[in-house]
Amino acid sequence: MSLETITATPPKTWDTTTTTPPPLAPEPTPQPAPTGKRGWLGWLIAALIIGGIAWAKVKYFPSNAGGDKKGGGKGSAGKGAPGSNGPLTPVQVYVVAATNLTDQVAATGSVLAEESVIIKSELSGKITSLNIKEGQSVSKGQLLFSINADEAQAAIQKQQYNIKLYRDQEKRQRTLLDKEYISAQEYEQSNNALLTAQADLQALRATLAKAYVRAPFAGVLGLTTATVGTYVSPGAEITTLSKVRPVKIDFAVPGRFAANVRVNDVVDVVDESTNKTYKAKVYAIDPQIDPVSRTQPVRARFANTNNELRPGAFVRVNLKLGESESALQVPTEAVIPEASGYNVYTVKGGKMVPQKVKIGIRSDKVIQITKGIAVGDTIIRTGILQVKPGDAVKVIK
């Protein structure tokens, strides 16, 4: 047995010390700049865009470098700061002067007829006559319409016969009583029957009178829908009657002015439809202030000779409470309300100085100043939001 020599093949090994790098990508070949007509057009468009941006910045966003230089350079106070040398803030002013001021109360009111009533029927039946001319004047006691009264007239005639019978009975009973053939009680029963019949006759005549409706006072008739032959029930409305010469002006003033209103005070009444002003005189003041609205009801009277005001119209009422010839007033926009009161901005030494004031009567255009300013003071009325205390201002007209 022979032994074979086995020669083992050594394992393969890899040399990692040396690695062949991958080939590099070729560098891009630079492209030549565009030439020709297309290239110049692109440069022209870019130049126009840059120029437009520069023009817009100069036009709408100017540099404040000059202002910084005038104000002392970087770190100095800006525009309008106290003690700065920046541009002056332009403002418009009002010079205070003594003026005439009428203290008055404005209120709204309504026009009422001097007397007004709705004409109604008190009976049921058919209308037999109608003398209503719509919109026409009538005198007191004039017949307006009548209702069929045949039944009432028949009842009156029947009662008259009964009264004649009771009167004869009463006469006979009196004769018997004088001769003491009957007692006083029997006579009293007969006399009572007569008196009752006479009272019933008066009631029937009152009912008959209700069938003929007459004007309770002189006035102007309203519209109606009734015609002859219309059947009406008690309470049916036939027309209206109003006395419009004179008319009443009904209005109310705030309760705090109640003590200033007097009977015979003259008030200005402005008609809302024509904007004309009329003079009316206070003739009545309610003794109580309305607890809901806290206002004082007042009534005035206007002659209304030419029917200038119609009942039901809305009017504005101005009641004068007093007049001053030395009142100080400033434009409404010059007064600045604050939590602690009111301020105005004055100009003193070319600078803005705030001043606290107290106000009085005010309207939509001016406000009375009762304390804080004097005649000749200069009050800023425009540019108020652009200034601060101590800012230098420039007064413009």
mmCIF file of all heavy atoms in Angstrom, residues 207-232:
data_model
loop_
_atom_site.group_PDB
_atom_site.id
_atom_site.type_symbol
_atom_site.label_atom_id
_atom_site.label_comp_id
_atom_site.label_asym_id
_atom_site.label_seq_id
_atom_site.Cartn_x
_atom_site.Cartn_y
_atom_site.Cartn_z
ATOM 1 N N THR A 207 -133.645 107.932 22.597
ATOM 2 C CA THR A 207 -133.287 106.919 21.599
ATOM 3 C C THR A 207 -133.546 107.432 20.198
ATOM 4 O O THR A 207 -132.740 107.211 19.278
ATOM 5 C CB THR A 207 -134.073 105.630 21.847
ATOM 6 O OG1 THR A 207 -133.791 105.136 23.162
ATOM 7 C CG2 THR A 207 -133.702 104.564 20.834
ATOM 8 N N LEU A 208 -134.666 108.132 20.029
ATOM 9 C CA LEU A 208 -134.973 108.693 18.712
ATOM 10 C C LEU A 208 -133.931 109.723 18.297
ATOM 11 O O LEU A 208 -133.557 109.795 17.116
ATOM 12 C CB LEU A 208 -136.366 109.326 18.739
ATOM 13 C CG LEU A 208 -136.824 109.985 17.435
ATOM 14 C CD1 LEU A 208 -136.916 108.941 16.318
ATOM 15 C CD2 LEU A 208 -138.164 110.687 17.637
ATOM 16 N N ALA A 209 -133.459 110.506 19.270
ATOM 17 C CA ALA A 209 -132.458 111.518 18.940
ATOM 18 C C ALA A 209 -131.168 110.888 18.441
ATOM 19 O O ALA A 209 -130.448 111.476 17.621
ATOM 20 C CB ALA A 209 -132.191 112.392 20.163
ATOM 21 N N LYS A 210 -130.835 109.677 18.931
ATOM 22 C CA LYS A 210 -129.626 108.989 18.476
ATOM 23 C C LYS A 210 -129.704 108.579 17.014
ATOM 24 O O LYS A 210 -128.673 108.300 16.390
ATOM 25 C CB LYS A 210 -129.363 107.762 19.340
ATOM 26 C CG LYS A 210 -129.031 108.089 20.790
ATOM 27 C CD LYS A 210 -128.821 106.823 21.605
ATOM 28 C CE LYS A 210 -128.502 107.140 23.063
ATOM 29 N NZ LYS A 210 -128.313 105.919 23.876
ATOM 30 N N ALA A 211 -130.897 108.520 16.468
ATOM 31 C CA ALA A 211 -131.046 108.156 15.062
ATOM 32 C C ALA A 211 -130.632 109.296 14.145
ATOM 33 O O ALA A 211 -130.430 109.083 12.948
ATOM 34 C CB ALA A 211 -132.482 107.735 14.777
ATOM 35 N N TYR A 212 -130.511 110.503 14.698
ATOM 36 C CA TYR A 212 -130.116 111.667 13.896
ATOM 37 C C TYR A 212 -128.765 112.149 14.440
ATOM 38 O O TYR A 212 -128.695 112.761 15.501
ATOM 39 C CB TYR A 212 -131.167 112.771 13.991
ATOM 40 C CG TYR A 212 -132.532 112.324 13.502
ATOM 41 C CD1 TYR A 212 -133.464 111.790 14.395
ATOM 42 C CD2 TYR A 212 -132.868 112.409 12.159
ATOM 43 C CE1 TYR A 212 -134.702 111.360 13.951
ATOM 44 C CE2 TYR A 212 -134.110 111.983 11.709
ATOM 45 C CZ TYR A 212 -135.017 111.459 12.607
ATOM 46 O OH TYR A 212 -136.243 111.020 12.160
ATOM 47 N N VAL A 213 -127.700 111.837 13.716
ATOM 48 C CA VAL A 213 -126.336 112.133 14.169
ATOM 49 C C VAL A 213 -125.928 113.506 13.647
ATOM 50 O O VAL A 213 -125.982 113.769 12.450
ATOM 51 C CB VAL A 213 -125.343 111.059 13.678
ATOM 52 C CG1 VAL A 213 -123.934 111.371 14.148
ATOM 53 C CG2 VAL A 213 -125.775 109.684 14.170
ATOM 54 N N ARG A 214 -125.502 114.367 14.567
ATOM 55 C CA ARG A 214 -125.129 115.734 14.223
ATOM 56 C C ARG A 214 -123.677 115.989 14.608
ATOM 57 O O ARG A 214 -123.094 115.287 15.444
ATOM 58 C CB ARG A 214 -126.054 116.720 14.933
ATOM 59 C CG ARG A 214 -127.527 116.511 14.585
ATOM 60 C CD ARG A 214 -128.432 117.486 15.307
ATOM 61 N NE ARG A 214 -129.837 117.218 15.002
ATOM 62 C CZ ARG A 214 -130.467 117.667 13.936
ATOM 63 N NH1 ARG A 214 -129.821 118.442 13.067
ATOM 64 N NH2 ARG A 214 -131.734 117.371 13.721
ATOM 65 N N ALA A 215 -123.076 117.021 14.000
ATOM 66 C CA ALA A 215 -121.684 117.375 14.284
ATOM 67 C C ALA A 215 -121.570 117.942 15.689
ATOM 68 O O ALA A 215 -122.269 118.909 16.021
ATOM 69 C CB ALA A 215 -121.183 118.389 13.263
ATOM 70 N N PRO A 216 -120.691 117.376 16.528
ATOM 71 C CA PRO A 216 -120.562 117.893 17.903
ATOM 72 C C PRO A 216 -119.836 119.228 17.975
ATOM 73 O O PRO A 216 -119.952 119.942 18.966
ATOM 74 C CB PRO A 216 -119.786 116.792 18.612
ATOM 75 C CG PRO A 216 -119.002 116.129 17.526
ATOM 76 C CD PRO A 216 -119.855 116.195 16.299
ATOM 77 N N PHE A 217 -119.075 119.566 16.949
ATOM 78 C CA PHE A 217 -118.377 120.854 16.897
ATOM 79 C C PHE A 217 -118.051 121.154 15.442
ATOM 80 O O PHE A 217 -118.155 120.281 14.562
ATOM 81 C CB PHE A 217 -117.087 120.827 17.738
ATOM 82 C CG PHE A 217 -116.170 119.674 17.415
ATOM 83 C CD1 PHE A 217 -115.285 119.725 16.348
ATOM 84 C CD2 PHE A 217 -116.200 118.519 18.190
ATOM 85 C CE1 PHE A 217 -114.453 118.659 16.055
ATOM 86 C CE2 PHE A 217 -115.362 117.452 17.916
ATOM 87 C CZ PHE A 217 -114.497 117.524 16.840
ATOM 88 N N ALA A 218 -117.680 122.392 15.186
ATOM 89 C CA ALA A 218 -117.316 122.784 13.822
ATOM 90 C C ALA A 218 -115.959 122.204 13.470
ATOM 91 O O ALA A 218 -115.018 122.248 14.274
ATOM 92 C CB ALA A 218 -117.295 124.298 13.704
ATOM 93 N N GLY A 219 -115.852 121.653 12.278
ATOM 94 C CA GLY A 219 -114.595 121.046 11.854
ATOM 95 C C GLY A 219 -114.652 120.588 10.419
ATOM 96 O O GLY A 219 -115.523 121.014 9.641
ATOM 97 N N VAL A 220 -113.724 119.703 10.077
ATOM 98 C CA VAL A 220 -113.606 119.174 8.714
ATOM 99 C C VAL A 220 -113.878 117.685 8.749
ATOM 100 O O VAL A 220 -113.321 116.960 9.588
ATOM 101 C CB VAL A 220 -112.205 119.453 8.128
ATOM 102 C CG1 VAL A 220 -112.101 118.907 6.708
ATOM 103 C CG2 VAL A 220 -111.902 120.943 8.151
ATOM 104 N N LEU A 221 -114.737 117.238 7.844
ATOM 105 C CA LEU A 221 -115.095 115.820 7.773
ATOM 106 C C LEU A 221 -113.988 115.029 7.095
ATOM 107 O O LEU A 221 -113.299 115.524 6.195
ATOM 108 C CB LEU A 221 -116.402 115.640 7.008
ATOM 109 C CG LEU A 221 -117.660 116.181 7.695
ATOM 110 C CD1 LEU A 221 -118.845 116.113 6.732
ATOM 111 C CD2 LEU A 221 -117.971 115.406 8.972
ATOM 112 N N GLY A 222 -113.859 113.771 7.506
ATOM 113 C CA GLY A 222 -112.912 112.871 6.866
ATOM 114 C C GLY A 222 -113.591 112.039 5.788
ATOM 115 O O GLY A 222 -114.676 112.377 5.295
ATOM 116 N N LEU A 223 -112.959 110.937 5.430
ATOM 117 C CA LEU A 223 -113.505 110.049 4.403
ATOM 118 C C LEU A 223 -114.516 109.089 5.010
ATOM 119 O O LEU A 223 -114.518 108.846 6.216
ATOM 120 C CB LEU A 223 -112.371 109.276 3.734
ATOM 121 C CG LEU A 223 -111.225 110.115 3.147
ATOM 122 C CD1 LEU A 223 -110.186 109.207 2.511
ATOM 123 C CD2 LEU A 223 -111.749 111.137 2.142
ATOM 124 N N THR A 224 -115.365 108.544 4.159
ATOM 125 C CA THR A 224 -116.372 107.591 4.621
ATOM 126 C C THR A 224 -116.613 106.536 3.547
ATOM 127 O O THR A 224 -116.378 106.780 2.357
ATOM 128 C CB THR A 224 -117.700 108.302 4.949
ATOM 129 O OG1 THR A 224 -118.640 107.345 5.448
ATOM 130 C CG2 THR A 224 -118.280 108.980 3.714
ATOM 131 N N THR A 225 -117.085 105.383 3.988
ATOM 132 C CA THR A 225 -117.457 104.310 3.054
ATOM 133 C C THR A 225 -118.958 104.028 3.107
ATOM 134 O O THR A 225 -119.440 103.147 2.422
ATOM 135 C CB THR A 225 -116.683 103.019 3.395
ATOM 136 O OG1 THR A 225 -116.951 102.649 4.755
ATOM 137 C CG2 THR A 225 -115.184 103.222 3.209
ATOM 138 N N ALA A 226 -119.680 104.768 3.965
ATOM 139 C CA ALA A 226 -121.115 104.536 4.122
ATOM 140 C C ALA A 226 -121.889 105.192 2.989
ATOM 141 O O ALA A 226 -121.484 106.221 2.442
ATOM 142 C CB ALA A 226 -121.585 105.079 5.464
ATOM 143 N N THR A 227 -123.025 104.592 2.662
ATOM 144 C CA THR A 227 -123.954 105.139 1.667
ATOM 145 C C THR A 227 -125.364 104.978 2.195
ATOM 146 O O THR A 227 -125.616 104.259 3.165
ATOM 147 C CB THR A 227 -123.813 104.413 0.314
ATOM 148 O OG1 THR A 227 -124.098 103.013 0.502
ATOM 149 C CG2 THR A 227 -122.421 104.572 -0.258
ATOM 150 N N VAL A 228 -126.294 105.653 1.552
ATOM 151 C CA VAL A 228 -127.698 105.503 1.928
ATOM 152 C C VAL A 228 -128.113 104.051 1.706
ATOM 153 O O VAL A 228 -127.852 103.469 0.650
ATOM 154 C CB VAL A 228 -128.585 106.459 1.110
ATOM 155 C CG1 VAL A 228 -130.063 106.206 1.409
ATOM 156 C CG2 VAL A 228 -128.226 107.900 1.413
ATOM 157 N N GLY A 229 -128.783 103.465 2.692
ATOM 158 C CA GLY A 229 -129.185 102.070 2.612
ATOM 159 C C GLY A 229 -128.241 101.120 3.302
ATOM 160 O O GLY A 229 -128.564 99.941 3.475
ATOM 161 N N THR A 230 -127.074 101.600 3.714
ATOM 162 C CA THR A 230 -126.127 100.747 4.432
ATOM 163 C C THR A 230 -126.683 100.403 5.808
ATOM 164 O O THR A 230 -127.152 101.284 6.542
ATOM 165 C CB THR A 230 -124.772 101.460 4.591
ATOM 166 O OG1 THR A 230 -124.253 101.766 3.300
ATOM 167 C CG2 THR A 230 -123.785 100.569 5.331
ATOM 168 N N TYR A 231 -126.632 99.134 6.158
ATOM 169 C CA TYR A 231 -127.083 98.721 7.488
ATOM 170 C C TYR A 231 -125.896 98.815 8.439
ATOM 171 O O TYR A 231 -124.822 98.269 8.182
ATOM 172 C CB TYR A 231 -127.608 97.286 7.473
ATOM 173 C CG TYR A 231 -128.154 96.835 8.817
ATOM 174 C CD1 TYR A 231 -129.483 97.065 9.155
ATOM 175 C CD2 TYR A 231 -127.334 96.200 9.739
ATOM 176 C CE1 TYR A 231 -129.981 96.672 10.389
ATOM 177 C CE2 TYR A 231 -127.817 95.790 10.973
ATOM 178 C CZ TYR A 231 -129.149 96.034 11.293
ATOM 179 O OH TYR A 231 -129.639 95.645 12.514
ATOM 180 N N VAL A 232 -126.080 99.532 9.537
ATOM 181 C CA VAL A 232 -125.010 99.737 10.493
ATOM 182 C C VAL A 232 -125.417 99.183 11.846
ATOM 183 O O VAL A 232 -126.606 99.081 12.168
ATOM 184 C CB VAL A 232 -124.657 101.233 10.626
ATOM 185 C CG1 VAL A 232 -124.082 101.761 9.330
ATOM 186 C CG2 VAL A 232 -125.879 102.044 11.041
#
